[in-house]
């Protein structure tokens, strides 16, 4: 699977994930304290989603979000201080259990209509994380630093981090952050699925994988520019 010598991360919570060196330098080069992060209420989550929907177009409908939050109330996280006049910064994610991790690498997991039997409840241990939606009009560095404690709590030893790029901006941004095509590692994964490996390498998770050379990434990446807005739409 995936193997590479990567410089140790100075940011606790990100050190178990194979983010690119550029991401690590971006996060480490700040002296201000991390932004606060907390679980959104249902009302806050729907308001944040409505704002993102106006910018990105079609996203998951409200009834799907309501069902997901009833299953696990922690799955929409607000970043920064709440301000009704400011654009919301938030992360929506789906912690996948072992069956969910197998489903996503076999092309059987839908982000538009997630099977909640594949999604962990708060008390359950996860196998992988699917980034359902990220909306961060603030700079990339502060957003990632704020999310580091969440990653440390959810996956202290690291885990595969899956997502899809829904805009041209994120299609360029995610590879620069260290994300790979999941299909390069898992032969049955959807062509548009991306994965950020844990530093220890991608687990097989019950599926035949390609060779390590097919999963390795080039040491050169396009520069990460702090362009406002990091939208990642929910897709199936």
């Amino acid at each position: 699977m995936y193997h590479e010598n990567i410089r140790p991360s100075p940011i606790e919570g990100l050190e178990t994930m194979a983010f690119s060196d550029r991401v690590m330098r971006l996060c480490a080069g700040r002296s201000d304290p991390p932004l606060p992060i907390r679980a959104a209420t249902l009302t806050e989550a729907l308001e944040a989603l409505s704002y993102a929907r106006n910018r990105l177009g079609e996203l998951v409908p409200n009834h799907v979000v309501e069902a997901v939050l009833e299953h696990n109330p922690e799955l929409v996280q607000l970043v920064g201080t709440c301000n009704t006049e400011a654009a919301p910064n938030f992360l929506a994610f789906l912690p996948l259990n072992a069956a969910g991790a197998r489903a996503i690498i076999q092309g059987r997991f839908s982000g538009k209509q997630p099977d909640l039997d594949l999604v962990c409840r708060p008390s359950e241990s996860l196998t992988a994380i699917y980034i359902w939606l990220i909306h961060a009009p603030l700079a990339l560095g502060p957003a990632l630093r704020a999310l580091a404690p969440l990653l440390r709590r959810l996956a202290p030893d690291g885990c595969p981090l899956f997502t899809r790029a829904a805009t041209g901006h994120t299609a360029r941004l995610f590879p620069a952050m260290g994300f790979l095509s999941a299909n390069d590692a898992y032969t049955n994964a959807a062509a548009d699925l991306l994965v950020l490996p844990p530093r220890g390498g991608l687990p097989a998770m019950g599926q035949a994988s390609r060779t390590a050379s097919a999963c390795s990434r080039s040491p050169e990446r396009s520069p990460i520019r702090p362009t406002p807005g990091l939208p990642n739409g929910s897709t199936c």
Side-chain angles (χ1 to χ4, degrees):
M1 295 308 295
Y2 176 87
H3 295 284
E4 184 180 6
N5 292 326
I6 302 175
R7 188 173 308 149
S9 167
I11 305 297
E12 187 177 2
L14 303 183
E15 76 278 9
T16 60
M17 304 301 297
F19 286 105
S20 67
D21 287 347
R22 290 185 177 92
V23 167
M24 296 308 176
R25 288 195 296 268
L26 186 64
C27 293
R30 302 185 65 90
S31 58
D32 50 315
L35 295 170
I37 182 171
R38 65 171 178 83
T41 65
L42 176 59
T43 298
E44 291 171 333
L46 294 180
E47 289 176 349
L49 182 67
S50 176
Y51 185 95
R53 192 181 285 121
N54 289 335
R55 294 190 65 200
L56 300 175
E58 183 181 359
L59 296 174
V60 291
N62 284 354
H63 74 271
V64 173
V65 178
E66 291 170 357
V68 165
L69 290 183
E70 182 178 357
H71 180 78
N72 187 334
E74 299 183 350
L75 301 189
V76 177
Q77 295 282 323
L78 296 177
V79 179
T81 304
C82 292
N83 185 337
T84 56
E85 298 180 358
N89 306 296
F90 67 94
L91 168 74
F93 68 98
L94 301 174
L96 303 179
N97 56 31
R102 288 193 298 271
I104 199 168
I105 64 174
Q106 294 170 358
R108 298 186 291 103
F109 182 82
S110 170
K112 288 184 177 179
Q113 190 68 49
D115 180 350
L116 296 182
D117 287 339
L118 306 178
V119 178
C120 296
R121 292 186 181 275
S123 60
E124 297 174 340
S125 298
L126 59 81
T127 300
I129 296 173
Y130 180 72
I131 298 178
W132 204 18
L133 177 69
I134 182 169
H135 184 265
L138 47 73
L140 174 62
L144 285 177
R145 291 181 74 231
L147 294 173
L150 177 67
L151 286 175
R152 182 175 65 244
R153 177 169 62 85
L154 293 174
D157 298 323
C159 72
L161 190 63
F162 293 97
T163 193
R164 288 179 168 94
T167 68
H169 175 54
T170 50
R172 297 184 297 271
L173 175 68
F174 285 136
M177 292 175 63
F179 283 84
L180 313 166
S181 170
N183 188 253
D184 287 344
Y186 301 110
T187 55
N188 294 327
D192 63 341
L193 187 67
L194 302 173
V195 62
L196 181 75
R199 289 190 183 275
L202 286 169
M205 294 193 292
Q207 183 181 322
S209 59
R210 302 186 194 276
T211 62
S213 60
C215 304
S216 64
R217 61 181 179 186
S218 167
E220 295 299 324
R221 289 289 182 187
S222 301
I224 297 176
R225 297 180 175 86
T227 307
L230 301 174
N232 174 34
S234 167
T235 56
C236 59

